[in-house]
Amino acid sequence: MTGKGTGAISTIEIFGDCAQDVLRKIFEPAGTRPVQFKPGDILLGTIRDDVEVIDQVTLGCEGPDTFAIHCHGNPLIVEVIMQLLGKHGASLVTAEQLLAKTLAAQELFNTIAIEAKLAQTKAKTIEGTKIIANQIGAGLSEKAQTWLDGIEEVSLDQIKAEAVRILRQSQAARLIMYGLTAVLTGPPNSGKSTLLNFLAGRQKAIVTDIKGTTRDWVEATCQIAPLSVTLIDTAGLDEQPSEPQRTVEQAAREKTTEILDRVDLVLLVLDGSGPAEELDGELIERICDKQVITVLNKSDLPGRFDAGRLPKFLSEPVRISAKEGTGIKHLTETIRQTSGTIDFNLQQPVCFTDRQENLLTQLTNTEFKRQAVSITMDLLDGQV
Ligand SMILES: Nc1nc2c(ncn2[C@@H]2O[C@H](COP(=O)(O)OP(=O)(O)OP(=O)(O)O)[C@@H](O)[C@H]2O)c(=O)[nH]1
Ligand SMILES: [Mg+2]
């Protein structure tokens, strides 16, 4: 139940029909009286593997089938106790599975509320936690309940249109809740690493005036409220790598293209103080169907860059100086704008799990009202 780091105490929860039988094999109470494992009792004793003492612990008897072992907080001790429990037949579940089971047993919450409580722990920003909290009594729960309550009056087309809107809103919501990943790419020496360092607020990546400084990719996180942005700085891509560097160049290129495939946003960083160079062909191919922000860097130097020569699919460039920090506000606004997260209404209904997304997608394709009712009921009360 506790984190994986070192602490004073760690807690291991054991539950299920045979929990007591397993405990009797590994827990030896202090004192001579036989133990009853009565709910409410807190027992002092040792965890033992046969005759070998693993740790002195307290055992909280939380219910007839639920117990909490409070051991010393060294992760190695926790690991040994977990293995011992496994040896005696306990199976390992994640804290999330346990929470889901506990909440479901209480029958107080609908499925969306349980999913919200689980998702809360993963949200990357405070705005993300608010979006999720808003889906419990209001938001998605309320919308689904309104569909069910008004099923006689509301048309199927209206429900489908609303489901489409919720799915659309959810794309930006997901970025706010779970974070946005952006890659810094472009020709060598354009200032990608300088920009990463500026946005991260510290010197994460090495900066030099030598082309090809960055080879391995470098990651840093920065807050561009309401977003938590993971920035990935990559090797500059050059059409003609120099001969002795070719193997390293090739490996760096492969890594960059792999990263480009999985990011939400591309920041194409170009040197605005030089002439508009020919962009790498493979790079263009990779990014042409992605969300791209063109960044013209080094605006503190006289500009010789002819933006008219840029490929047509690229948007109007944002001019910045990563070295002096000018234009950064415009850049962060453009990141919010492009990701659809600017002025995002945290109260609106959105989906935040794959299960919800699948059901809403099914809803957009449904032909009959009774099918819509069953999907909506599933949305509210289906299996977590
Ligand atoms: N004048 C000026 N120089 C800059 C600016 N941004 C970066 N530079 C300089 O440009 C050079 C290259 O900067 P880097 O950040 O290493 O460039 P990069 O794109 O990461 O280069 P590679 O890793 O080789 O692809 C360094 O000498 C920086 O100091 C800027 O806004 N203005
Ligand atoms: Mg670099």
Side-chain angles (χ1 to χ4, degrees):
M1 302 301 289
T2 36
K4 284 199 174 134
T6 304
I9 305 266
S10 284
T11 299
I12 299 168
E13 187 96 358
I14 169 160
F15 66 93
D17 294 343
C18 305
Q20 246 192 61
D21 302 337
V22 173
L23 276 175
R24 284 185 190 281
K25 291 182 187 145
I26 66 164
F27 177 75
E28 185 159 308
T32 47
R33 278 189 296 158
V35 286
Q36 308 268 305
F37 295 110
K38 272 206 322 282
D41 279 358
I42 298 174
L43 308 168
L44 180 69
T46 50
I47 296 288
R48 286 168 184 259
D49 185 2
D50 203 3
V51 290
E52 187 191 357
V53 175
I54 310 290
D55 194 19
Q56 187 182 47
V57 302
T58 59
L59 181 72
C61 304
E62 298 184 344
D65 301 326
T66 309
F67 304 89
I69 300 171
H70 305 288
C71 61
H72 288 97
N74 181 332
L76 297 169
I77 293 177
V78 177
E79 188 62 36
V80 172
I81 297 176
M82 298 290 267
Q83 280 175 11
L84 195 57
L85 287 166
K87 193 169 106 182
H88 290 287
S91 51
L92 204 62
V93 295
T94 63
E96 277 182 345
Q97 286 167 317
L98 176 59
L99 184 59
K101 176 188 169 299
T102 313
L103 293 172
Q106 290 178 16
E107 289 182 0
L108 283 173
F109 307 105
N110 68 25
T111 306
I112 295 173
I114 296 172
E115 286 171 328
K117 285 175 189 298
L118 296 172
Q120 284 292 21
T121 56
K122 297 206 187 88
K124 291 267 171 61
T125 57
I126 199 73
E127 289 82 358
T129 64
K130 286 181 188 165
I131 293 176
I132 296 167
N134 285 337
Q135 307 310 311
I136 300 179
L140 187 62
S141 299
E142 189 176 65
K143 179 52 73 185
Q145 197 59 53
T146 315
W147 287 335
L148 287 183
D149 294 345
I151 197 71
E152 301 301 333
E153 301 88 55
V154 69
S155 75
L156 185 57
D157 282 345
Q158 189 182 331
I159 294 178
K160 286 164 77 164
E162 286 183 336
V164 169
R165 196 162 59 236
I166 294 172
L167 283 167
R168 201 173 332 112
Q169 287 159 187
S170 304
Q171 290 174 7
R174 269 190 182 241
L175 297 176
I176 298 174
M177 293 183 284
Y178 305 126
L180 175 148
T181 308
V183 67
L184 294 153
T185 187
N189 235 25
S190 61
K192 301 176 291 300
S193 302
T194 309
L195 179 56
L196 176 104
N197 290 342
F198 189 89
L199 290 171
R202 60 203 167 106
Q203 302 300 307
K204 273 287 279 193
I206 297 171
V207 169
T208 75
D209 55 4
I210 302 163
K211 281 188 171 192
T213 299
T214 307
R215 281 294 157 256
D216 262 344
W217 73 104
V218 179
E219 266 191 39
T221 306
C222 67
Q223 301 301 314
I224 302 177
L227 290 166
S228 169
V229 179
T230 302
L231 292 163
I232 310 177
D233 180 23
T234 57
L237 295 185
D238 214 346
E239 285 277 46
Q240 275 108 32
S242 50
E243 191 55 52
Q245 292 290 327
R246 199 165 289 250
T247 317
V248 183
E249 185 76 30
Q250 191 52 36
R253 174 176 286 271
E254 279 166 20
K255 191 70 213 175
T256 301
T257 46
E258 180 202 311
I259 290 168
L260 280 168
D261 280 347
R262 67 176 163 86
V263 295
D264 303 305
L265 181 67
V266 176
L267 298 179
L268 177 63
V269 184
L270 307 170
D271 181 347
S273 70
E277 307 165 61
E278 204 58 39
L279 288 175
D280 183 85
E282 194 183 343
L283 175 64
I284 297 284
E285 210 174 288
R286 290 276 162 181
I287 64 172
C288 63
D289 56 353
K290 300 218 125 214
Q291 299 263 39
V292 184
I293 297 175
T294 314
V295 181
L296 263 194
N297 190 30
K298 309 196 187 181
S299 65
D300 53 297
L301 299 175
R304 287 195 288 142
F305 196 96
D306 177 7
R309 291 192 51 198
L310 287 172
K312 291 286 161 281
F313 75 91
L314 294 174
S315 54
E316 181 65 26
V318 179
R319 287 166 203 276
I320 65 155
S321 165
K323 197 170 182 179
E324 301 196 340
T326 48
I328 298 293
K329 189 151 192 297
H330 183 199
L331 176 61
T332 53
E333 282 298 288
T334 311
I335 291 174
R336 291 189 189 101
Q337 192 93 49
T338 311
S339 59
T341 56
I342 205 161
D343 297 331
F344 190 88
N345 173 3
L346 306 179
Q347 317 264 320
Q348 60 196 334
V350 294
C351 61
F352 53 91
T353 66
D354 291 345
R355 185 195 77 90
Q356 296 165 4
E357 189 180 326
N358 286 340
L359 287 169
L360 284 171
T361 310
Q362 280 178 37
L363 202 55
T364 62
N365 295 320
T366 179
E367 300 289 332
F368 307 104
K369 259 195 178 177
R370 64 182 152 71
Q371 214 178 348
V373 169
S374 117
I375 294 170
T376 308
M377 284 169 68
D378 216 7
L379 186 61
L380 280 169
D381 285 312
Q383 274 273 313
V384 176

